[in-house]
Every structure is written in C-alpha cells, then in structure tokens.
C-alpha cells in the first residue's frame, strides 16, 4: 500500500504522547496501530521542557511504528494551552454582475475574514468557514453557484501564541518528523466523538486532560467557539496530595483507585488505605472515602463553572440543546457526569471515539480520542483549516489530493 494513504495523528498531551496510525481505504479510515509514552515535558498543555518531550515523542512514534508496521515520517499534530483564543471572523467580497459565486469567491471571502488586528506574537491556526450570506440572506451553507452581488462568509478563527506553537514544531522536528497540519486538540477530539446530529443541533465537547480542559462548541454543523481552561486531572491529584498529605504519586493512585467527584451517597463506613508522606511504606492510615470526595468535589465544580462561563461567553447554554459530551482521561473519574449536569443543567454524556469502527481496545477510551480525532480531522480536511498564509501552506502533496477525492462533500 502506498505511503500516501497513511495519516498519523500525534497528540502531545500533558501526561502522555500518543501517536495513532490511520489508513484511508475506500470505506473510510481504519486504524493500523498506535503508540503511547508518558511525558512530563509539558505544563498545562504547553511544552516547558524540550529535552523531556522529544524522547517521549520518539518513544510513542516508535511504538506506533511497531504496532502498525509503518515507518512514520510525517504527523498531524495537536495543539492546546491557555493561550488559545477564538473569535468569529467576517469577510465580504463583491461578485461581478450576472456572475455565479465561485469557489474562488468563497476562498477570497474566507481570506478576508482573517484580516484582523492580531496582537504581536499571535497567529491564526484555524480559519473554518461556518456560514455565509448572499445579499443579506443568511444561513446559506454553500453559496457556490448562486447569483448575488455581495457574499459574506463567517468563519471560526482560532488564534494561538506563536512561541508555544514554535516549541511544539521544534520538538516534533527534533524527533525527526515533518508536520503536515496543526489542529486545535478539542476540534480533533470532536471529530472522533460527536455525532453529526449533535453538531447540527448545538453541542459542547469538553476534553478533561491532565493539564487543561479543552472546550469546543458546535452548532449548525460546525465549530463556533473554542477555549482552553487551565484546569485538568493533575489539579485534582494535587488537591488530594495537599489535602491528604500524601506524595503526588500516592495521590494519583488514590484518585485512580478510589476517586469520586461527588460525595452524594457516600457514608463514613467506606474507608481507604493511604500512606501519608514521610510515613514508612506499609504504615498505612485509613480515611473515609467521603473525605476524598470532599476534596475532589469543589475542584470539579470549579471546572464546570469555568466551562459554564466560557459557554456564556460564547452565547449561552441555549446554543447547545444537545448538551455536553465529556471526554479525556479526567472524564473517567466516577461522578464526573453528575457534577457536570448539576452545574450546567444540560444533558451530559461520556465521550469516546465513535469511529472508525476499527477503534478497539485502548483506542476506544477517551484518552485516545484526540489521537484518533487528529487522523480523522486530517482525513476530512486534507488542506487544513489553518491560516491561509500560514507556515504550512504548500506542504500538502499527494495525500491531500487523494483524501480530497474521498471526502469531497
Ligand atoms: N480512572 C480515572 N479516574 C480519574 N482520573 C483519571 C482516570 N484515568 C485517567 N485519569 C486522569 O486523566 C488525566 C490524563 O488524561 P489525558 O490522557 O486525557 O491527558 P493528556 O491528554 O495527557 O493531557 P492534556 O490533554 O491536558 O494535554 C490524568 O490527570 C489522569 O489522572
Ligand atoms: Mg489531551
């Protein structure tokens, strides 16, 4: 099989690096393998230690090569971090009299939408067309072929600080890989987890990772708001570490084995063995599980309150009647959905990769949705949805043309 039919998603996360190898067949994407390596070179989604990140990327990629039998040279890489912002761009073009609107007109309007004043040190990483209007008639999904004199295209613009973007590039390149696309992580995760009907109706995706919780809102079939909240699973572990006076690793164990996001329904009878810091191994203490819940609950409530704030900033909960889909390793904490629905008051469900059907075993769990989603995102957006004048333009070769044919919609 030709190499050009392979896409590799590289999720550079705060707790782990994950490489997912996908192959495009005439039936869609199938997954050939994946590799994971722990990584502590990032803080809140941003590279803070290049020396720790590069070998972790190499390890994950080597494992993915072994599991897929494919030599990995280029990757689609995910990006996140508190520095991410999103806004709506609007671009207008005049159409010549008696002419139909062409793809070039739409592209020109899309290009015009990103002519915004960016603060120094920031760049546009996505410019995703969302809706268009022709002569003031709104809600037109595809204006190509229509008659009109003024075309306006509304786009979802995602911006990032250039330095963190460059640092991710540097790590990936030092690991001997070429980057074909950079994708905002929640947009990739959404690709793997959301149903088309949810995206049409209006839905929010929240990926609770280790260092950040990433949010993407969809309506009318496409993304309209993205944000990154600097609270994730590591904060919960940290709270337990401080609250129970145990080492971080012990706090992580306690969280994974006994953690729960709400104290509702817990009594003092259920007790958990913990080893406080400084205590010799084997000298355990018992604490009621309710105490663990009491420590975790306020942090999870804070997280969903921050999510609610972002949703309000995006226009309000009424824009997401399909509710909230919660993903990422942090979503595995029991009771998370209960806290989310109490705080947000909308329907909530747990996310995991819906497709490709070939996603089995570990890849079916929420921690791997971003890696799987990166493959799907690149398959469906072969030319990317980044800044039209960005660094990556012109890098798309035969892969793109092949994918474009397959996914032309
Ligand atoms: N069963 C579980 N119960 C509670 N928390 C869990 C469970 N499994 C994983 N986690 C938590 O999920 C977090 C890691 O999630 P994930 O793998 O999605 O993060 P990441 O992608 O590395 O980080 P980020 O997306 O922030 O860059 C860790 O904090 C971990 O403790
Ligand atoms: Mg993640």
């Amino acid at each position: 099989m030709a190499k050009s039919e392979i896409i590799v998603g590289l999720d550079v996360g705060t707790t782990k690096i994950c490489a997912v190898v996908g192959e495009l067949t005439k039936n869609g994407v199938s997954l050939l393998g994946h590799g994971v390596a722990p990584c502590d070179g990032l803080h809140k989604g941003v590279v803070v230690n290049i020396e720790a990140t590069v070998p972790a990327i190499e390890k994950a990629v080597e494992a993915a090569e072994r599991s897929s039998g494919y030599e990995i040279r280029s990757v689609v890489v995910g990006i996140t971090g508190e520095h991410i912002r999103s806004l709506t761009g609007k671009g207008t073009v005049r159409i010549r009299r008696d002419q139909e609107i062409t793809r070039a007109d739409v592209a020109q309007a899309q290009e015009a939408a990103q002519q915004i004043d960016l603060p120094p040190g920031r760049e546009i990483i996505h410019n995703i067309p969302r809706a268009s209007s022709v002569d003031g008639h709104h809600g037109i999904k595809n204006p190509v072929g229509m008659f009109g004199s003024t075309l306006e295209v509304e786009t979802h613009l995602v911006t990032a600080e250039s330095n963190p973007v460059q640092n991710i590039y540097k790590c990936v390149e030092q690991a001997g890989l070429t980057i074909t696309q950079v994708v905002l992580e929640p947009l990739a995760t959404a690709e793997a987890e959301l149903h088309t009907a949810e995206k049409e109706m209006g839905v929010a995706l929240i990926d609770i990772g280790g260092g950040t919780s990433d949010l993407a809102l969809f309506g009318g079939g496409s993304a309209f708001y993205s944000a990154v909240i600097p609270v994730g699973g590591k904060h919960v572990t940290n709270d337990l570490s401080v609250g129970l006076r145990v080492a971080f690793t012990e706090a992580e164990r306690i969280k994974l084995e006994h953690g729960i996001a709400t104290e509702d329904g817990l009594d003092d009878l259920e007790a958990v063995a913990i080893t406080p810091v400084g205590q010799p191994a084997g000298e355990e203490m018992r604490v009621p599980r309710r105490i663990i819940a009491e420590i975790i609950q306020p942090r999870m409530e804070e997280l969903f309150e921050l999510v609610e704030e972002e949703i309000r900033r995006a226009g309000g909960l009424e824009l997401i009647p399909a509710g909230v889909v919660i993903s990422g390793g942090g979503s595995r904490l029991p009771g998370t959905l209960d806290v989310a629905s109490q705080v947000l008051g909308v329907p909530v469900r747990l996310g995991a990769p819906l497709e490709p059907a070939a996603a089995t075993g570990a890849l079916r769990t929420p921690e791997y949705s971003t890696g799987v989603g990166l493959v799907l995102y690149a398959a469906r957006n072969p030319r990317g949805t980044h800044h039209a004048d960005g660094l990556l333009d012109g890098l798309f070769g035969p892969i793109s043309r092949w994918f474009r044919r397959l996914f032309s919609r």
Side-chain angles (χ1 to χ4, degrees):
M1 177 100 4
K3 282 183 182 123
S4 58
E5 296 161 350
I6 301 288
I7 315 177
V8 181
L10 186 72
D11 173 14
V12 183
T14 304
T15 67
K16 52 133 198 356
I17 311 274
C18 171
V20 176
V21 184
E23 181 188 32
L24 258 146
T25 68
K26 57 180 186 308
N27 300 320
V29 175
S30 65
L31 301 178
L32 299 184
H34 75 284
V36 188
C39 177
D40 59 5
L42 279 84
H43 181 63
K44 294 188 182 177
V46 165
V47 176
V48 289
N49 184 344
I50 290 177
E51 287 77 41
T53 307
V54 174
I57 294 177
E58 287 168 347
K59 254 188 169 167
V61 166
E62 277 161 28
E65 285 181 334
R66 278 197 301 279
S67 110
S68 66
Y70 175 77
E71 191 191 341
I72 298 170
R73 295 217 186 98
S74 60
V75 293
V76 181
V77 69
I79 189 151
T80 182
E82 219 181 326
H83 57 98
I84 298 292
R85 300 279 179 278
S86 79
L87 67 152
T88 300
K90 282 189 179 152
T92 304
V93 289
R94 307 270 316 153
I95 310 297
R96 275 195 297 161
R97 222 143 63 102
D98 301 328
Q99 296 281 314
E100 290 179 9
I101 295 170
T102 63
R103 295 177 81 88
D105 295 323
V106 177
Q108 201 188 327
Q110 191 187 344
E111 169 77 29
Q114 70 185 24
Q115 303 310 321
I116 53 166
D117 279 335
L118 272 181
R122 290 194 78 79
E123 59 189 75
I124 294 171
I125 56 166
H126 287 288
N127 178 8
I128 305 171
R130 198 176 132 52
S132 53
S133 60
V134 176
D135 298 339
H137 300 290
H138 295 279
I140 297 168
K141 276 215 157 164
N142 184 5
V144 175
M146 291 179 72
F147 285 98
S149 43
T150 306
L151 165 71
E152 185 183 73
V153 172
E154 196 180 292
T155 72
H156 177 53
L157 296 175
V158 180
T159 73
E161 276 177 18
S162 304
N163 289 340
V165 178
Q166 292 303 329
N167 285 331
I168 289 265
Y169 270 64
K170 185 166 177 184
C171 291
V172 175
E173 280 161 8
Q174 280 194 5
L177 302 161
T178 316
I179 299 171
T180 55
Q181 264 195 57
V182 170
V183 180
L184 180 67
E185 289 183 5
L187 296 180
T189 312
E191 212 60 59
E193 296 199 342
L194 298 182
H195 294 285
T196 308
E198 288 174 323
K199 288 199 254 188
E200 279 296 332
M201 250 178 104
V203 70
L205 174 105
I206 306 164
D207 178 344
I208 309 176
T212 62
S213 293
D214 302 354
L215 181 67
L217 268 63
F218 290 78
S222 59
F224 67 91
Y225 191 83
S226 312
V228 176
I229 296 164
V231 176
K234 276 190 165 180
H235 298 79
V236 174
T237 307
N238 216 38
D239 292 344
L240 285 174
S241 167
V242 173
L244 299 172
R245 284 198 289 117
V246 297
F248 188 86
T249 45
E250 170 68 347
E252 180 73 11
R253 178 196 69 81
I254 296 167
K255 181 179 83 173
L256 297 185
E257 289 176 16
H258 309 287
I260 181 158
T262 167
E263 57 179 307
D264 291 354
L266 292 179
D267 56 33
D268 279 339
L269 297 177
E270 192 181 347
V272 169
I274 66 165
T275 308
V277 70
Q279 206 86 339
E283 286 202 16
E284 293 172 338
M285 230 179 90
R286 294 190 78 75
V287 295
R289 192 172 178 221
R290 190 181 49 73
I291 300 287
I292 293 170
E294 264 177 24
I295 295 171
I296 298 178
Q297 187 165 344
R299 179 64 83 176
M300 295 305 284
E301 284 170 352
E302 180 207 17
L303 168 60
F304 290 114
E305 278 158 14
L306 292 170
V307 166
E308 189 182 10
E309 234 172 69
E310 288 294 347
I311 295 174
R312 289 203 188 288
R313 215 167 277 160
L317 286 158
E318 57 277 16
L319 295 181
I320 50 160
V324 168
V325 176
I326 304 179
S327 176
S331 71
R332 299 237 249 158
L333 183 75
T336 297
L337 293 190
D338 298 326
V339 177
S341 71
Q342 271 162 24
V343 173
L344 299 169
V346 294
V348 292
R349 77 165 174 89
L350 214 53
L354 295 170
E355 58 165 332
T360 52
L363 284 183
R364 265 204 118 49
T365 58
E367 290 100 306
Y368 298 104
S369 291
T370 308
V372 173
L374 286 166
V375 173
L376 295 172
Y377 195 95
R380 291 169 187 160
N381 302 283
R383 274 149 50 88
T385 52
H386 50 81
H387 189 319
D389 299 316
L391 279 164
L392 300 168
D393 264 2
L395 287 181
F396 306 99
I399 302 182
S400 319
R401 283 189 289 279
W402 199 74
F403 292 160
R404 204 155 48 229
R405 270 207 310 281
L406 202 64
F407 283 96
S408 55
R409 292 187 278 190

